Structure formats: structure tokens, C-alpha cells
Amino acid sequence: MSTTRPCSPGDRGPEPSGASGASEVAVPAVGAAAGAAAPSAPSGPTGGTPQARGRQVRRLRLEGESAVVPLARDFTRQALYAWEWMPAATADQRAAAEDVLLVVSELVTNACLHAEGPDELRLACDNKVIRIEVSDRGAGQPAPRTPHRAGRPGGHGMFIVQRLCLDWGVVRVTGTPGKTVWAELGAPA
């Protein structure tokens, strides 16, 4: 959480941006058809606790876009509102939502710096875990810098991802350029 702001910008509500519905698909369950869209607005009571429902997925095309890090954060913030992770009712819930936003920022930034830019951001959420996937055309392999030196500028992205997430990894498809870097975080308590 920022030490210079009285509250996180996301706690005041979704910010207006072009990311709200661009390339967005919500899928209600794992086995549902790819084109089956579910309403993205919450259907139950709010208060920061995700309600019981199936897996939901949202995608944002980033290829060729400018200012992709703020675009990805705004898109993610709006998904967190739709999935009722925000507004956060407790400090733990607020921290969980901020961790998701930070991990999205780190993964998209890494794709910008090391992989010719991101192609797509994919968010998948169920009641227990949110999965973040950032695909790119880069050949490199992300890894936390070892040994990690807290005072050294730069190189903290994957170390942050490793510390905040339940798990993370890289998926490559044989015969296809690029990769997908994914990370999973637990739902707020």
C-alpha cells in the first residue's frame, strides 16, 4: 500500500478508461463455450468478498497498444470490482487486491522491457485463486535475480512476483514463438 496516499485509487471505484470493455470476455465456468459471455457486473451483495460462482475469465489485447501498464492495471481493477474483490472491506482484502494489481504491473512491465512487449493479458478467477497470464513473443526466460539485493535499483519484478504469489511459471507452445508468464494469487479472506 502506498505510504503517500490516504487510500488506494482503486478503493474509490473503477477509474474511467478505455480498458473497461475492450477485448473483454467473461466465461462463467471452465467448460463453457469460448464465446459465451456472462454479465460482468456483480449480481450479489458487495463488500469485498467474492461470492460463490464458477471460473470467470477476462482478456485484454495489448499488442500494438500504448501505455500498456496503466491500461492493464485499469482493466484488472475493473475486473476486481466485477468479481467483488473491491471495494475492500478489510485491510487484508485491500492488500490482496493491491497485490494483484502489483503483479499485473510487474508481468506487463517485464514483457515490455524483455520481450518486445505484451500481446495479451488474461485474468481468470474462481472463489479461491486469481490467475494472471501475460503472453508475449519473447524468447527469454524470466527469473528472480539471485542473489536479490534490496538496495540495488531494478531487477525486483520477478522477486516481487515470487514473494506475493502462490505459484508462477512460464508456458511455451512448441513451434510457436513467445511464451505466457503466469502467476496465481489467493483470494482475500
Side-chain angles (χ1 to χ4, degrees), residues 45-64:
T46 60
T49 305
Q51 60 184 177
R53 64 178 128 210
R55 189 169 183 83
Q56 299 180 62
V57 178
R58 291 180 181 231
R59 289 181 168 87
L60 176 65
R61 207 73 186 127
L62 295 170
E63 183 179 12

Side-chain angles (χ1 to χ4, degrees), residues 11-99:
D11 283 347
R12 291 186 291 254
E15 293 180 10
S17 75
S20 62
S23 304
E24 181 177 323
V25 177
V27 180
V30 174
S40 60
S43 58
T46 60
T49 305
Q51 60 184 177
R53 64 178 128 210
R55 189 169 183 83
Q56 299 180 62
V57 178
R58 291 180 181 231
R59 289 181 168 87
L60 176 65
R61 207 73 186 127
L62 295 170
E63 183 179 12
E65 296 290 334
S66 60
V68 293
V69 175
L71 183 67
R73 284 180 64 88
D74 289 344
F75 178 81
T76 302
R77 185 177 291 110
Q78 292 187 11
L80 293 174
Y81 271 94
W83 295 336
E84 298 181 13
W85 283 49
M86 295 175 86
T90 67
D92 286 344
Q93 292 168 345
R94 187 172 21 265
E98 289 176 2
D99 288 351

